[in-house]
Amino acid sequence: MNPAADLRHQVAVLALDEVVTFDLGTPTQILNAARDEDERRFYRVRICTPGGRPVRTSAAFTLVPDHGLELLAEADTVIAAGVHYGAKVLVDGTLEPPVLDALRAAADRGARMMSICTGAFVLAAAGLLDGRRATTHWAHADNFRRLFPDVDLDPDVLFMDEGDVLTSAGVGAGVDLCLHVVRHDHGSRIANLAARRCVVPPWRPGGQSQYIVRTIPDEADTSTAPARAWALEHLDEPLDLRVLAAHVRMSVRTFTRRFREETGASPAKWIIQQRVERARHLLETTDLAVDQVARRSGFGTGAALRQQMSATLGVAPSAYRTTFRTA
């Protein structure tokens, strides 16, 4: 195929020494799984390294790429893969001048810039995260803040979308970010199909705080999962915190604490997230009026739905339907 004639969205994945191999496979797998009904792919994903030279991976083998940094000059989206302990950028927060220049040039011409896991260090070292919100693997949060104090780091979320710059948390959160990008670019139906092809959940609630190492809970505590499963079946009904806690035989205080530990969100915030997801699905796949969508997703009124969607997604229900309506 002639690259000049390729109309697919061009994605360049940047691999530096000590690159995390999982992070290389994530965009190639998820984005290549985004296809239309005729199995035509929406993205062309390629990997590059400085000078096109081999780089050492975190899995103790050497990667031999097909492309150098020139790939960044033609990419619509640039993804910085994560790097493991020992990588220079994790130690002193600096990059080789050719890498620094190529990243800045790509951002200056309007390419979408993304990172997976500690790839946020790469974007930050290029100055692309200054004054912005970002995230990275929770285990590297303290080091990140030390090296890049001008970045507003949030280590509790799975990914952060700042429009033209997006960052994800550790390792598996790159899957969440790539599916989010597919959803943004082509709608929920295509993103859900890509997730199904890759046998991963199309969307995960909560943040990475649920994966941070914590002290072992008391033996008397149990999982809040049964209550969450029940809530998903009753989103169109009032969901009282005491009722949810009673489903798993916990006090409200214990339930709230365990819920946040397991999901990374408060019960109220989690319920809103689920209701917004239900509303998105109904807007995309049905002809229900906005007021009906609001009732079925648990918001009650169209005004409440519009307020929550505007706050969560930055778009009104009618505008969302126009953009993502499944034919």
Side-chain angles (χ1 to χ4, degrees), residues 160-208:
M160 186 72 71
D161 184 347
E162 287 280 275
D164 56 340
V165 178
L166 302 91
T167 54
S168 81
V171 195
V175 173
D176 300 283
L177 178 58
C178 288
L179 285 172
H180 169 74
V181 166
V182 174
R183 184 183 297 269
H184 174 273
D185 291 350
H186 301 287
S188 293
R189 184 173 61 86
I190 297 299
N192 292 345
L193 287 174
R196 181 176 294 178
R197 288 189 177 100
C198 297
V199 199
V200 295
W203 184 81
R204 285 193 296 166
Q208 67 169 323

Side-chain angles (χ1 to χ4, degrees), residues 129-160:
L129 300 183
D130 288 352
R132 293 178 178 267
R133 296 180 301 159
T135 191
T136 190
H137 194 297
W138 61 266
H140 294 269
D142 289 342
N143 188 36
F144 187 95
R145 290 192 178 101
R146 177 182 64 83
L147 293 173
F148 309 110
D150 293 331
V151 181
D152 182 8
L153 184 72
D154 184 350
D156 289 336
V157 297
L158 290 175
F159 60 83
M160 186 72 71

Side-chain angles (χ1 to χ4, degrees), residues 3 20 43 106 171 177 179 196 227 256 274 293 301-302 319:
V20 178
Y43 303 91
V171 195
L177 178 58
L179 285 172
R196 181 176 294 178
T256 302
Q274 304 309 314
V293 171
T301 67

Side-chain angles (χ1 to χ4, degrees), residues 5 9 22 60 76 98-99 184 266:
H9 188 100
F22 192 101
D76 302 301
V99 177
H184 174 273
S266 68

